[in-house]
């Protein structure tokens, strides 16, 4: 069983389009995250939700909007895609937020904007 | 805020060579420290972690790391690398989320 699963694995789309990436975890964790990994492999936190509540919202364009329908799901919707949005997006989950313990990562979604 | 710096961005080693990757963090309080590995085209996997106790931590695949509080360091080591260790290695420290270093790309040549 996959602990953290993301769909789709690959996403190629044109500039200006709107797209969504979905993430689900079956670990019973209460906190989920979105990370962006750029072409230089740098991992940057974007958002974090704890029990469906937004707790981390880094400096990310308003075109990115996370949604957490329940604590097992965290989706990422991106409006008006730009070339610079091309990256690999990783979902992760942990149990708790303070003194964060081990994070489990999804397989990543490679987004290519053309 | 907690931050992590990794000293080596690209490392090339021959098989059987010893590995040490540097990691320093900036935070004076209690921290949890991690090393993650990302094999080509794959997601991040936990190599090892330090929360408390013995500062020498053993992880999977023969990796170990030593937490030296006085130096704010958590260096990763392996006595003898294999070709299959070719990957990106990330040091991370907990804060309100996992904060990652910029990663070290390790290439092991046969």
């Amino acid at each position: 069983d996959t602990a953290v699963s993301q769909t789709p694995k690959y996403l190629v789309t044109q500039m200006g389009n709107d797209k969504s990436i979905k993430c689900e975890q079956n670990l019973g964790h209460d906190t989920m995250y979105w990370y962006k990994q750029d072409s230089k492999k740098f991992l940057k936190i974007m958002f974090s939700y704890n029990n469906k509540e937004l707790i981390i919202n880094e400096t990310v364009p308003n075109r990115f909007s996370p949604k957490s329908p329940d604590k097992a799901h965290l989706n990422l919707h991106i409006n008006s895609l730009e070339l610079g949005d091309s990256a690999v997006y990783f979902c992760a989950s942990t149990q708790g937020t303070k003194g964060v313990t081990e994070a489990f990562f999804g397989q990543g979604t490679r987004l290519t904007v053309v | 805020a907690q931050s992590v710096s990794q000293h080596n961005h690209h490392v090339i080693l021959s098989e059987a060579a010893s590995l040490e990757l540097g990691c320093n963090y900036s935070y004076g309080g209690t921290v949890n420290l991690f090393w993650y590995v990302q094999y080509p085209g794959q997601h991040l996997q936990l190599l090892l972690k330090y929360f408390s106790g013995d500062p020498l931590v053993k992880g999977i695949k023969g990796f170990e790391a030593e937490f030296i509080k006085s130096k704010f360091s958590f260096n990763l080591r392996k006595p003898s690398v294999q070709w299959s260790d070719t990957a990106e290695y990330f040091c991370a420290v907990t804060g309100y989320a996992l904060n990652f270093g910029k990663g070290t790309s390790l290439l092991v040549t046969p």
Side-chain angles (χ1 to χ4, degrees):
Chain A
D1 279 347
T2 304
V4 181
S5 59
Q6 295 177 230
T7 54
K9 192 171 180 182
Y10 300 97
L11 185 53
V12 181
T13 188
Q14 290 186 323
M15 281 175 55
N17 283 351
D18 304 338
K19 290 293 178 186
S20 292
I21 308 172
K22 296 186 176 183
C23 180
E24 175 182 3
Q25 53 93 5
N26 62 6
L27 297 165
H29 288 167
D30 59 6
T31 307
M32 295 183 72
Y33 309 81
W34 278 111
Y35 282 85
K36 178 180 180 180
Q37 186 175 46
D38 62 23
S39 58
K40 294 183 180 176
K41 303 289 185 182
F42 182 48
L43 276 159
K44 186 171 163 40
I45 181 76
M46 298 174 71
F47 302 103
S48 175
Y49 271 75
N50 173 253
N51 284 319
K52 303 194 297 176
E53 217 175 298
L54 182 66
I55 57 170
I56 296 173
N57 186 359
E58 291 293 299
T59 307
V60 175
N62 291 338
R63 300 181 294 103
F64 289 80
S65 53
K67 282 192 173 48
S68 181
D70 55 61
K71 71 175 191 177
H73 295 83
L74 180 61
N75 304 324
L76 183 64
H77 188 76
I78 316 170
N79 289 326
S80 304
L81 278 154
E82 300 178 357
L83 292 177
D85 298 331
S86 296
V88 182
Y89 293 84
F90 285 99
C91 177
S93 72
T94 61
Q95 182 55 37
T97 56
K98 294 198 186 297
V100 167
T101 56
E102 177 186 349
F104 290 80
F105 284 82
Q107 294 280 347
T109 296
R110 182 174 294 276
L111 171 65
T112 303
V113 183
V114 297
Chain B
Q2 297 84 350
S3 66
V4 178
S5 64
Q6 292 181 237
H7 315 304
N8 322 94
H9 297 298
H10 298 279
V11 173
I12 301 175
L13 293 172
S14 300
E15 274 192 311
S18 65
L19 170 73
E20 180 158 3
L21 301 182
C23 172
N24 285 92
Y25 64 94
S26 64
Y27 182 62
T30 301
V31 291
N32 294 340
L33 294 156
F34 305 82
W35 275 97
Y36 280 82
V37 61
Q38 186 179 25
Y39 297 105
Q42 295 192 27
H43 66 295
L44 281 86
Q45 303 170 45
L46 182 70
L47 268 181
L48 46 80
K49 58 190 176 187
Y50 173 79
F51 290 167
S52 63
D54 188 343
L56 186 60
V57 180
K58 294 199 183 299
I60 60 171
K61 304 187 181 188
F63 286 90
E64 63 179 32
E66 185 175 12
F67 170 60
I68 303 180
K69 190 174 181 181
S70 60
K71 294 185 178 180
F72 298 91
S73 70
F74 189 56
N75 293 352
L76 181 71
R77 299 195 291 249
K78 185 170 184 178
S80 175
V81 294
Q82 301 171 313
W83 175 80
S84 58
D85 293 325
T86 293
E88 292 281 332
Y89 292 82
F90 295 92
C91 183
V93 62
T94 55
Y96 54 88
L98 264 183
N99 296 314
F100 286 91
K102 293 197 173 181
T104 297
S105 175
L106 173 65
L107 173 63
V108 180
T109 59

